[in-house]
Amino acid sequence: MAARERKSPLVNLIAGGSAGFMEALICHPLDTIKVRMQLAKNVARNASGQNLSFIGVGVRIVQKESPLALYKGLGAVTAGIVPKMAIRFTTFQFYKDMMVDKNGTPWKLNNFWAGMLAGITEAVLVVTPMDVVKIRLQAQRHSMADPQDIPKYRNAAHCAYTVVREEGFGALWRGVGLTSLRQATNQAANFPTYHFLKGQLQSLQDIKELPGYQSAVIGLISGAMGPLVNNPIDIVKTRIQKTPNPEGLGGWARFKDVNGQILKNEGWRAFYKGVTPRVLRVAPGQAVTFAVYERVSSWLDKNSDTFKLTAAAK
């Protein structure tokens, strides 16, 4: 078979990292609101006793803790976003390239299986420890405008150090099974949907490269799929990662305990707390990610000879 051009892992690193960084800067406040809603034992209410919407929760955070509080945990996210996106796009393409028969014909549903495996890979290597640190920081209720209000965790690095010192290195991977399940289902929905819609638009318009706004729109659609399906997983994972495991309680026992406590004290509806800000966080995030990734990747491909970013594949 003739040699074909494929993206170097460095393309995925640069394009994916750039996309992830922009996503974090734009969408992180919605993630903070989502985490606060998921961690709340009772529904947040205003002075009139009415339930607070995700906007209301955001306003309350700003009023009590300053606007900067919406960016709590951003350091943990940005520190992990480059390897996370590099791993996601690189391993997706790696697994996809492996899923061919001896004649080079792709397997059926290869985007689904490659997306699922890429989600598991990123969860184990990057997302779980990043989430543990991020959630601990986001859960702290202190005013970032008051220098006298000193929280337990000062920043992402201090949080990671404190968790390891007090709970052991393994605590950074608390909830890795649920995180892997969440990321696997996210990417198993995300990549197939995106590539299907991308292919349809390319065929309809007879073009090779979609305009940026079209990449953003189909990224928005594909990004909404996962959160609508797996929000209960995210709820339990967030509760588990917020605090240390009680002494003598293993991972499976903790999982059953958290599920039981939610059902007993809050009801089944609690498993969908924060689903609105989560969709509003993940879907626009994927819109930004795919739009930026496609644009940066295209630019790097066009300048591949200059940067030596292409590799021959048989």
Side-chain angles (χ1 to χ4, degrees), residues 2 33 63 89 93 97 103 118 122 151 170 198 214 220 258 262 269 275 297 302 304:
I33 297 170
Q63 290 175 339
F89 285 101
Q93 193 62 51
D97 288 344
N103 297 317
E122 71 178 17
K198 178 181 178 181
Q214 291 186 12
L220 183 81
V258 170
I262 291 173
R269 293 177 185 274
V275 67
S297 177
K302 290 175 182 176
S304 59

Side-chain angles (χ1 to χ4, degrees), residues 36-270:
R36 289 293 181 87
M37 292 180 75
Q38 290 180 331
L39 292 176
K41 302 296 183 183
N42 299 303
V43 177
R45 302 179 187 277
N46 59 21
S48 303
Q50 297 175 321
N51 294 351
L52 284 177
S53 65
F54 72 94
I55 295 177
V57 173
V59 170
R60 175 174 287 185
I61 292 172
V62 170
Q63 290 175 339
K64 292 189 173 183
E65 304 172 46
S66 86
L68 290 175
L70 292 173
Y71 285 90
K72 286 179 179 178
L74 181 62
V77 174
T78 53
I81 205 73
V82 172
K84 170 186 171 181
M85 289 301 177
I87 289 168
R88 176 180 297 178
F89 285 101
T90 303
T91 58
F92 171 76
Q93 193 62 51
F94 170 78
Y95 293 130
K96 188 175 176 181
D97 288 344
M98 294 287 288
M99 294 176 182
V100 295
D101 62 21
K102 60 183 179 180
N103 297 317
T105 303
W107 293 2
K108 291 182 179 180
L109 301 178
N110 64 338
N111 283 329
F112 172 85
W113 295 113
M116 183 180 69
L117 291 172
I120 293 172
T121 305
E122 71 178 17
V124 174
L125 296 181
V126 179
V127 178
T128 302
M130 183 180 74
D131 266 9
V132 169
V133 173
K134 175 181 71 70
I135 288 168
R136 296 289 180 94
L137 289 167
Q138 289 175 321
Q140 296 185 132
R141 299 175 184 271
H142 68 286
S143 174
M144 298 185 71
D146 183 1
Q148 302 299 317
D149 191 357
I150 302 174
K152 178 178 180 179
Y153 307 119
R154 295 194 294 271
N155 51 51
H158 180 255
C159 179
Y161 169 77
T162 303
V163 169
V164 171
R165 185 188 64 191
E166 295 181 352
E167 304 169 44
F169 191 74
L172 290 175
W173 272 266
R174 182 169 293 127
V176 64
L178 288 172
T179 304
S180 297
L181 183 59
R182 183 195 68 179
Q183 295 303 112
T185 51
N186 274 345
Q187 303 316 318
N190 189 19
F191 277 111
T193 303
Y194 179 82
H195 284 284
F196 171 77
L197 293 174
K198 178 181 178 181
Q200 292 296 306
L201 288 175
Q202 287 172 325
S203 297
L204 285 172
Q205 301 171 92
D206 193 24
I207 55 176
K208 184 177 180 181
E209 185 175 328
L210 296 180
Y213 77 91
Q214 291 186 12
S215 295
V217 170
I218 61 176
L220 183 81
I221 296 169
S222 67
M225 298 299 173
L228 292 174
V229 173
N230 62 22
N231 202 71
I233 298 170
D234 198 48
I235 287 282
V236 178
K237 177 199 74 71
T238 301
R239 298 283 180 95
I240 288 174
Q241 290 177 326
K242 180 194 174 188
T243 56
N245 276 343
E247 190 172 348
L249 202 62
W252 176 245
R254 180 80 190 281
F255 171 77
K256 292 193 295 183
D257 179 65
V258 170
N259 270 285
Q261 291 296 325
I262 291 173
L263 283 171
K264 179 182 177 181
N265 300 324
E266 304 169 58
W268 66 269
R269 293 177 185 274

